[in-house]
Amino acid sequence: MDLSSTSSTEVSLKARAARVAKVAAAHADDVDKVGRFPKEAVEALKAERLMGIQIPVDCGGEGRSTSEIAEVCTILAQACAASAMIFAMHQIKVSSLVSHGTDASWHRDFMRRVCDEQMLLGSATTEGGIGGNLRNSICAIEVDGDVCRLEKDATVISYGKHADAILITSRAHKDAPPSDQVMTVFLKDQYTLEQTHVWDTMGMRGTCSDGFLFKGEAPAVQILPKPFAEIAAQSMLASSHLLWSALWYGIAVDAFTKAQTFVRAAARKAPGTQPPGLVQLAEMSSQLQVIRSNILQGLASYETALADHDRLSSMAFAVAMNNVKIASSEMILPVINQALRICGIMGYKNGTPFSLGRHLRDAHSAELMISNDRILGNTSTMLLVHKQETGLLG
């Protein structure tokens, strides 16, 4: 159930991802049970040199496409969804650098460091008082000559204690409106974190996205040169919706695999008869195909839009990406629930080859990251002025 084709370079990338997935799978249950950072999987990602694969070749990376990165997310998610989410969120931050930092010398040098040192990039876009609305900030960056300073009540920082650098949003200056934002790179030795919230969640426990009071001071050149509104529209929107969708699809694929194995075992026990769950398995296969097609279409649309600045910033593109996220996040839970019905008590229990509790709990994050209600609200506003494409071929 690959999301990409199978050229020799892709096979090599998949092989690297598969080796990481093997490590992640060995620790996935413990990561989930204890709610700890999946250090073994992240170390394996670094050992396979996967942290900088999206970065252009002339900045030390491999220039991999979003489709290739989405495939890695799917492979990892079949082993450990938290590890896949960490990789996806890291790559979402990298996409902002690639899309909007290549013309700035500091950010080009930083991308080389990400590749050379296999740095893990964290994200701090949420804030006390605004919740998950990443397109508004209360805090403001202070620029004093060549230095910038920032203090932010970040209610969630993705794997904050474990990141090598954090990309953080704020208002552009103290007199700026909430939507006039910038994004700044702060290296680990340029900030302090005072923990304010604990990441004790139902699922995605290994992402360890605690809340912190962030205080940082760094050279002002580390502020990305483009407004965050442009960064969000042209890289973060698509990257987050597509990479998250790919990993959610991976969770559903693994649930399907467990159900398929269960049905095959039942068939071997009673040859010549139709095993229970076989028809449901066929229905799951059909649902997975729809999810996969939705993501592939979104990836194709994004990679086409990368060559067209106007399309990349258009309402039509934003609506399309929002719809990819809404559809994939809402379709995976029925698939996993169906797998649970097939596997029965063996899927309900922990510690069996067919256990699906972790899958269900991780999958529930899909409708909440970013909230589907918020996305639907944004889409409905855009649809007041944008005509929906209704043709079969677009």
Side-chain angles (χ1 to χ4, degrees), residues 18-40:
R19 288 193 290 269
V20 177
K22 185 175 181 180
V23 173
H27 301 278
D29 286 336
D30 184 61
V31 164
D32 173 67
K33 183 177 181 179
V34 181
R36 68 170 179 84
F37 184 72
K39 60 182 186 298
E40 299 87 356

Side-chain angles (χ1 to χ4, degrees), residues 333-352:
L333 275 171
V335 172
I336 300 170
N337 277 322
Q338 200 151 8
L340 182 60
R341 289 197 296 272
I342 291 172
C343 296
I345 195 66
M346 295 301 289
Y348 188 70
K349 290 176 62 177
N350 293 322
T352 82

Side-chain angles (χ1 to χ4, degrees), residues 300-316:
S301 177
Y302 179 47
E303 291 178 357
T304 299
L306 286 173
D308 184 345
H309 184 274
D310 290 339
R311 176 166 177 75
L312 198 60
S313 302
S314 69
M315 285 188 183

